[in-house]
Amino acid sequence: MSHLRLPPDTHMAPHSTSLCFSGTLCFTRLPPLPLFSSSALSLPVSRQFTRSIRMSSSSSSIDSVPSPPDNAIVLGCGGIAVDFLATVDSYPQPDDKIRSTSLKVQGGGNAANALTCAARLGLTSRLISKVANDSQGKGMLEELEEDGVDTSFLVVSKEGNSPFTYIIVDKQTKTRTCIHTPGDPPMLPADLSQSSMLSALDRANIVYFDVRLHETALVIAKEAGRKKIPILVDAEKKRDGLDDLLQFADYVVCTAKFPQVWTEASSTPGALISMLLRLPKLKFVIVTLGEEGCLMLERASKAEVLQSQETDIESLVETLTHRKDSTTTFPTCVSSETTKLKADGIGTVSGRLFLGTAEKIPPDELLDTTGAGDAFIGAVLYAICAGMPPEKMLPFAAQVAGCSCRALGARTGLPHLTDPRLVPFLV
């Protein structure tokens, strides 16, 4: 399908402050305002391994921020959407009628969010996805372009609807609930010409998939594999096409529940060993754990493989946990030496284990966790291109994710590389 430019269109008036939970969401019209506003609409509110462990913290300061990797390019393929974010004092019970305390309309979608983050950090970001020829699609393209994301490889359908998501942000529990409506017609491999795909991959340093649009993603992954371009896969949950894409992955970032669900291992550390055994191409896997930080297992290179005594990975995780600094508010990382890590009933892998902490955000500053995982991945993409070691990458990515949680929406709080909060992590 050829690329279409969207014609001028009137902005859609955002909907409501009143949400009806009786099986559907009911919205009433508000006066028109820009589809993608930069600030929220304020509404009335009623009132024996110790030797092998090293600790790394990124608390020192520097005089200037390093330049981003020269001409580093990340290509992403996956989700894009319009997010309708409504903040509520507490999540409603069935059949409740409540009022939101604030409303924001903003671009979303895992891949689009992660690439926006990468672009703000200085990478050249290219996105392959699909929108419709409607006001939402126009707004999404404009917002991405303003952030420096290359949208020239997006497919625009003449008919149908762009994807969108209702997001309910609960102020009481600091959680969010997402209700997604996919775009129609869906993206198919035939929508992306061979010439467009090759142009998108040209000089790319890394390719990223969020496992949406899996049929198209698999075609791109095969070509990236032929070109020996590294691939990062966001394994949020089991999806169609995920198993095929994981076979091409050099790096995987996954949610807390995924490793055990995918491997059927009895624990997360054991599941990480299982993933490296099942995916021989995989260099590292990171599991994000929310406010508990993250756990990363990195495969040792052939030159690093030692004939050392085996270490039980569960015991090593416990030791790392005891060694982490719980007194600091900023993200840190503790790590093991390269060793043979074993998991009972699963097997053995030579590698290093890293335990990263999250930023301790004061409750009054924690506004919305929407897109925090996408921010983390965007920062990991930057760190890989910049050649950061894991001891630097994990605290840096955690700090970027922490910044994103201080504003409503997935993109509002995404920092630029020059943000003073990031400078200490770029030493």
Side-chain angles (χ1 to χ4, degrees), residues 138-376:
K138 180 177 184 293
M140 283 188 276
L141 292 182
E142 289 177 350
E143 185 180 21
L144 288 168
E145 289 164 0
E146 287 174 1
D147 267 310
V149 177
D150 184 347
T151 65
S152 62
F153 302 103
L154 266 80
V155 175
V156 180
S157 173
K158 292 181 179 179
E159 300 177 347
N161 66 272
S162 295
F164 61 92
T165 305
Y166 294 124
I167 302 176
I168 304 165
V169 181
D170 186 339
K171 292 170 65 176
Q172 185 179 64
T173 62
K174 307 292 186 181
T175 58
R176 86 286 184 271
T177 301
C178 302
I179 307 169
H180 181 66
T181 299
D184 184 69
M187 186 169 189
L188 300 173
D191 290 336
L192 183 68
S193 69
Q194 178 77 0
S195 60
S196 291
M197 179 181 66
L198 294 177
S199 295
L201 286 167
D202 183 41
R203 297 176 289 111
N205 297 81
I206 190 166
V207 179
Y208 153 66
F209 301 109
D210 67 5
V211 201
R212 272 88 169 175
L213 317 180
H214 65 276
E215 294 173 324
T216 302
L218 186 58
V219 174
I220 298 168
K222 290 177 179 177
E223 186 62 32
R226 283 191 286 267
K227 294 178 176 294
K228 301 189 184 305
I229 302 172
I231 291 173
L232 185 148
V233 172
D234 173 11
E236 186 177 41
K237 62 181 181 180
K238 280 190 171 184
R239 299 183 190 277
D240 290 342
L242 172 62
D243 288 358
D244 293 330
L245 281 172
L246 285 175
Q247 300 302 318
F248 293 91
D250 297 89
Y251 315 103
V252 170
V253 179
C254 52
T255 55
K257 296 180 180 179
F258 176 81
Q260 287 180 260
V261 170
W262 191 70
T263 65
E264 299 184 349
S266 61
S267 71
T268 295
L272 298 187
I273 287 182
S274 180
M275 290 182 70
L276 261 64
L277 291 173
R278 296 186 186 193
L279 303 170
K281 191 174 185 286
L282 198 60
K283 295 178 181 177
F284 71 62
V285 56
I286 301 171
V287 54
T288 57
L289 304 169
E291 63 182 10
E292 297 300 318
C294 63
L295 187 65
M296 171 178 166
L297 179 57
E298 179 185 44
R299 190 191 305 273
S301 66
K302 291 181 179 179
E304 293 176 307
V305 174
L306 304 173
Q307 297 301 317
S308 59
Q309 185 176 354
E310 292 180 352
T311 300
D312 179 73
I313 192 169
E314 305 285 351
S315 299
L316 186 54
V317 169
E318 184 177 346
T319 305
L320 290 174
T321 301
H322 290 153
R323 292 284 305 188
K324 70 180 181 181
D325 188 350
S326 300
T327 65
T328 62
T329 59
F330 55 82
T332 62
C333 177
V334 291
S335 65
S336 73
E337 298 286 357
T338 300
T339 187
K340 286 186 177 179
L341 299 167
K342 68 174 181 179
D344 290 342
I346 296 175
T348 302
V349 167
S350 293
R352 294 180 68 195
L353 194 65
F354 301 83
L355 180 62
T357 65
E359 182 189 6
K360 294 179 181 178
I361 304 175
D364 61 337
E365 295 181 22
L366 179 59
L367 297 184
D368 182 16
T369 60
T370 302
D374 302 330
F376 185 93

